[in-house]
Amino acid sequence: MNPEASDLDAVDRNLLRLLQEDGRRTTLDLAARVGLSPTGTSLRVRRLFREGYITAVRAVLNPAKIGRGTLVFIEVRLDHTAPHIFERFAEAVIKAPEVLECHMVVGGFDYLVKARISEMAAYQDFLTRVILPLPGVKETHTYASIGDVKPDALLPV
């Protein structure tokens, strides 16, 4: 187990689980669920933020409702692997609003990109406009998601 995770007691873990499920829970609701006073609960939640266990509270949007109903994963292989190419690639990916996540990986390719687009008909434009012009891109392989089996899973605490 991660040494930092062992610093969490059962109440902290319960608070983290509850807030992952619904970040809009009130302090009163949290306090009732974990068996602490509202003040004690509030102090713990503030500490969890301060110590970096909780990094943000956000709304989870319905992608289809905002015109981003198609999820694609793109394997990207670079033409050569040098620090300046990695830096330029990362800077360019950060600027692409369609890209939700980008991970440098080990294996048969260099990056795994997760993106949301309106529909597959728009994919060619996205690939041509966003992915292929990225610095150092040599080859790509794309996988379109046809169903969410376990989207936005909560972290085990």
Side-chain angles (χ1 to χ4, degrees):
M1 180 180 276
N2 178 343
E4 278 193 20
S6 64
D7 293 342
L8 298 173
D9 65 15
V11 173
D12 290 334
R13 290 176 188 286
N14 200 8
L15 285 168
L16 291 173
R17 271 191 290 279
L18 290 165
L19 288 168
Q20 270 193 110
E21 291 169 3
D22 184 355
R24 296 185 310 162
R25 291 185 193 274
T26 66
T27 301
L28 289 175
D29 178 47
L30 290 169
R33 291 173 184 266
V34 300
L36 290 178
S37 70
T39 301
T41 301
S42 178
L43 289 171
R44 281 190 182 239
V45 169
R46 280 187 281 180
R47 180 180 53 78
L48 292 168
F49 270 100
R50 186 177 62 250
E51 292 179 1
Y53 289 97
I54 303 171
T55 59
V57 177
R58 302 183 171 146
V60 178
L61 307 180
N62 179 336
K65 293 275 191 185
I66 60 167
R68 300 283 179 189
T70 301
L71 179 64
V72 292
F73 297 90
I74 307 151
E75 296 175 354
V76 178
R77 181 175 299 158
L78 301 179
D79 54 11
H80 60 284
T81 53
H84 73 283
I85 295 293
F86 289 139
E87 288 170 18
R88 288 180 44 226
F89 183 89
E91 289 168 3
V93 164
I94 289 167
K95 293 176 185 172
E98 298 92 343
V99 175
L100 303 177
E101 297 179 28
C102 179
H103 302 272
M104 181 185 282
V105 297
V106 295
F109 53 96
D110 300 302
Y111 288 95
L112 181 62
V113 176
K114 177 181 176 182
R116 280 233 175 241
I117 55 176
S118 60
E119 58 187 354
M120 280 311 291
Y123 176 71
Q124 185 64 40
D125 173 65
F126 169 72
L127 185 66
T128 304
R129 183 177 46 78
V130 177
I131 299 297
L132 294 178
L134 291 171
V137 172
K138 175 183 178 182
E139 182 180 347
T140 66
H141 294 277
T142 300
Y143 306 90
S145 173
I146 59 170
D148 293 338
V149 175
K150 190 175 180 180
D152 303 320
L154 304 180
L155 291 174
V157 186

mmCIF file of all heavy atoms in Angstrom, residues 71 73 114 116 144-154:
data_model
loop_
_atom_site.group_PDB
_atom_site.id
_atom_site.type_symbol
_atom_site.label_atom_id
_atom_site.label_comp_id
_atom_site.label_asym_id
_atom_site.label_seq_id
_atom_site.Cartn_x
_atom_site.Cartn_y
_atom_site.Cartn_z
ATOM 1 N N LEU A 71 -16.391 8.483 -28.559
ATOM 2 C CA LEU A 71 -15.126 8.355 -27.837
ATOM 3 C C LEU A 71 -14.155 7.555 -28.685
ATOM 4 O O LEU A 71 -14.498 6.465 -29.172
ATOM 5 C CB LEU A 71 -15.373 7.653 -26.504
ATOM 6 C CG LEU A 71 -14.167 7.405 -25.609
ATOM 7 C CD1 LEU A 71 -13.555 8.715 -25.139
ATOM 8 C CD2 LEU A 71 -14.581 6.557 -24.412
ATOM 9 N N PHE A 73 -9.921 6.195 -29.007
ATOM 10 C CA PHE A 73 -8.595 6.006 -28.425
ATOM 11 C C PHE A 73 -7.627 5.910 -29.589
ATOM 12 O O PHE A 73 -7.880 5.182 -30.543
ATOM 13 C CB PHE A 73 -8.543 4.726 -27.588
ATOM 14 C CG PHE A 73 -9.464 4.756 -26.407
ATOM 15 C CD1 PHE A 73 -10.767 4.305 -26.510
ATOM 16 C CD2 PHE A 73 -9.028 5.256 -25.190
ATOM 17 C CE1 PHE A 73 -11.629 4.343 -25.432
ATOM 18 C CE2 PHE A 73 -9.882 5.297 -24.105
ATOM 19 C CZ PHE A 73 -11.185 4.842 -24.223
ATOM 20 N N LYS A 114 -6.905 9.786 -25.611
ATOM 21 C CA LYS A 114 -8.345 9.576 -25.456
ATOM 22 C C LYS A 114 -9.015 10.891 -25.843
ATOM 23 O O LYS A 114 -8.693 11.940 -25.278
ATOM 24 C CB LYS A 114 -8.660 9.217 -24.006
ATOM 25 C CG LYS A 114 -10.132 9.043 -23.700
ATOM 26 C CD LYS A 114 -10.313 8.714 -22.211
ATOM 27 C CE LYS A 114 -11.750 8.617 -21.813
ATOM 28 N NZ LYS A 114 -11.887 8.339 -20.353
ATOM 29 N N ARG A 116 -12.796 12.935 -27.431
ATOM 30 C CA ARG A 116 -14.232 12.926 -27.692
ATOM 31 C C ARG A 116 -14.501 13.830 -28.878
ATOM 32 O O ARG A 116 -14.056 14.973 -28.912
ATOM 33 C CB ARG A 116 -15.005 13.435 -26.479
ATOM 34 C CG ARG A 116 -15.151 12.368 -25.434
ATOM 35 C CD ARG A 116 -16.621 12.212 -25.060
ATOM 36 N NE ARG A 116 -16.812 11.121 -24.133
ATOM 37 C CZ ARG A 116 -17.559 10.064 -24.407
ATOM 38 N NH1 ARG A 116 -18.173 9.944 -25.553
ATOM 39 N NH2 ARG A 116 -17.709 9.121 -23.510
ATOM 40 N N ALA A 144 -12.449 3.118 -31.978
ATOM 41 C CA ALA A 144 -13.651 3.843 -31.579
ATOM 42 C C ALA A 144 -14.415 2.999 -30.580
ATOM 43 O O ALA A 144 -14.610 1.801 -30.776
ATOM 44 C CB ALA A 144 -14.521 4.146 -32.795
ATOM 45 N N SER A 145 -14.849 3.630 -29.507
ATOM 46 C CA SER A 145 -15.621 2.934 -28.486
ATOM 47 C C SER A 145 -17.055 2.769 -28.976
ATOM 48 O O SER A 145 -17.669 3.731 -29.431
ATOM 49 C CB SER A 145 -15.606 3.743 -27.188
ATOM 50 O OG SER A 145 -16.476 3.165 -26.237
ATOM 51 N N ILE A 146 -17.580 1.557 -28.872
ATOM 52 C CA ILE A 146 -18.972 1.327 -29.274
ATOM 53 C C ILE A 146 -19.865 1.082 -28.064
ATOM 54 O O ILE A 146 -21.066 0.857 -28.199
ATOM 55 C CB ILE A 146 -19.096 0.160 -30.282
ATOM 56 C CG1 ILE A 146 -18.545 -1.131 -29.691
ATOM 57 C CG2 ILE A 146 -18.414 0.522 -31.589
ATOM 58 C CD1 ILE A 146 -18.845 -2.363 -30.532
ATOM 59 N N GLY A 147 -19.276 1.149 -26.865
ATOM 60 C CA GLY A 147 -20.069 0.993 -25.658
ATOM 61 C C GLY A 147 -19.227 1.216 -24.425
ATOM 62 O O GLY A 147 -18.074 0.812 -24.380
ATOM 63 N N ASP A 148 -19.802 1.882 -23.443
ATOM 64 C CA ASP A 148 -19.101 2.121 -22.184
ATOM 65 C C ASP A 148 -19.387 0.987 -21.226
ATOM 66 O O ASP A 148 -20.539 0.784 -20.816
ATOM 67 C CB ASP A 148 -19.594 3.438 -21.542
ATOM 68 C CG ASP A 148 -19.215 4.658 -22.363
ATOM 69 O OD1 ASP A 148 -18.264 4.552 -23.160
ATOM 70 O OD2 ASP A 148 -19.847 5.698 -22.184
ATOM 71 N N VAL A 149 -18.366 0.207 -20.885
ATOM 72 C CA VAL A 149 -18.521 -0.899 -19.959
ATOM 73 C C VAL A 149 -18.349 -0.395 -18.523
ATOM 74 O O VAL A 149 -19.124 -0.723 -17.646
ATOM 75 C CB VAL A 149 -17.519 -2.025 -20.261
ATOM 76 C CG1 VAL A 149 -17.590 -3.123 -19.226
ATOM 77 C CG2 VAL A 149 -17.768 -2.574 -21.663
ATOM 78 N N LYS A 150 -17.331 0.438 -18.307
ATOM 79 C CA LYS A 150 -17.069 0.973 -16.973
ATOM 80 C C LYS A 150 -16.492 2.393 -17.105
ATOM 81 O O LYS A 150 -15.319 2.627 -16.861
ATOM 82 C CB LYS A 150 -16.097 0.060 -16.228
ATOM 83 C CG LYS A 150 -15.943 0.396 -14.760
ATOM 84 C CD LYS A 150 -15.057 -0.622 -14.057
ATOM 85 C CE LYS A 150 -14.913 -0.289 -12.597
ATOM 86 N NZ LYS A 150 -14.065 -1.276 -11.906
ATOM 87 N N PRO A 151 -17.337 3.327 -17.496
ATOM 88 C CA PRO A 151 -16.830 4.692 -17.670
ATOM 89 C C PRO A 151 -16.698 5.408 -16.332
ATOM 90 O O PRO A 151 -17.454 5.146 -15.395
ATOM 91 C CB PRO A 151 -17.913 5.350 -18.523
ATOM 92 C CG PRO A 151 -19.167 4.644 -18.102
ATOM 93 C CD PRO A 151 -18.754 3.217 -17.832
ATOM 94 N N ASP A 152 -15.746 6.299 -16.256
ATOM 95 C CA ASP A 152 -15.592 7.177 -15.084
ATOM 96 C C ASP A 152 -15.666 6.433 -13.758
ATOM 97 O O ASP A 152 -16.395 6.828 -12.842
ATOM 98 C CB ASP A 152 -16.646 8.295 -15.128
ATOM 99 C CG ASP A 152 -16.569 9.096 -16.414
ATOM 100 O OD1 ASP A 152 -15.447 9.362 -16.864
ATOM 101 O OD2 ASP A 152 -17.615 9.426 -16.963
ATOM 102 N N ALA A 153 -14.933 5.355 -13.658
ATOM 103 C CA ALA A 153 -14.941 4.551 -12.431
ATOM 104 C C ALA A 153 -14.370 5.352 -11.260
ATOM 105 O O ALA A 153 -13.495 6.192 -11.436
ATOM 106 C CB ALA A 153 -14.125 3.284 -12.634
ATOM 107 N N LEU A 154 -14.883 5.070 -10.087
ATOM 108 C CA LEU A 154 -14.380 5.693 -8.873
ATOM 109 C C LEU A 154 -13.121 4.959 -8.425
ATOM 110 O O LEU A 154 -13.003 3.754 -8.614
ATOM 111 C CB LEU A 154 -15.438 5.614 -7.769
ATOM 112 C CG LEU A 154 -16.800 6.211 -8.101
ATOM 113 C CD1 LEU A 154 -17.740 6.061 -6.917
ATOM 114 C CD2 LEU A 154 -16.692 7.657 -8.532
#
